[in-house]
Amino acid sequence: MSNNSERDHSDSEEDEDDLSNEILDLDAFNQLLSMDDDTDEDYEFSREIVQSYLEQAKSTFADMDQALSAKDLSKLSS
């Protein structure tokens, strides 16, 4: 039974890695991090870019929800 448990755990980790790669492009993220100054341990530049992206995504999804509720297909397609 231990082998099944270990295999299930390993499969779970692989699934999580696959999901992480679908959600976050690590190559692109690492390129963002490389734009920070070498002395900037807080990653201020890349942090601002990521925060702006997340805010824009949040706003876009809210707009999409409103358009769906109003059945405004032209707004959804733009």
Side-chain angles (χ1 to χ4, degrees), residues 53-66:
Y53 174 81
L54 293 173
E55 285 298 317
Q56 182 180 8
K58 184 178 177 180
S59 173
T60 299
F61 283 116
D63 291 345
M64 291 171 63
D65 285 341
Q66 288 177 341

Side-chain angles (χ1 to χ4, degrees), residues 13-26:
E13 286 178 0
E14 288 176 14
D15 290 343
E16 288 177 12
D17 287 344
D18 289 343
L19 181 60
S20 295
N21 290 333
E22 289 178 24
I23 294 172
L24 179 65
D25 182 339
L26 289 177

Side-chain angles (χ1 to χ4, degrees), residues 2-57:
S2 174
N3 288 339
N4 283 341
S5 177
E6 289 174 13
R7 190 176 325 129
D8 290 344
H9 181 69
S10 176
D11 289 344
S12 175
E13 286 178 0
E14 288 176 14
D15 290 343
E16 288 177 12
D17 287 344
D18 289 343
L19 181 60
S20 295
N21 290 333
E22 289 178 24
I23 294 172
L24 179 65
D25 182 339
L26 289 177
D27 290 333
F29 187 71
N30 285 327
Q31 287 177 356
L32 279 174
L33 292 178
S34 72
M35 288 190 247
D36 285 301
D37 291 331
D38 291 336
T39 60
D40 186 6
E41 294 178 8
D42 294 330
Y43 299 102
E44 186 175 343
F45 178 75
S46 57
R47 177 179 293 136
E48 289 178 14
I49 291 174
V50 171
Q51 287 174 336
S52 293
Y53 174 81
L54 293 173
E55 285 298 317
Q56 182 180 8

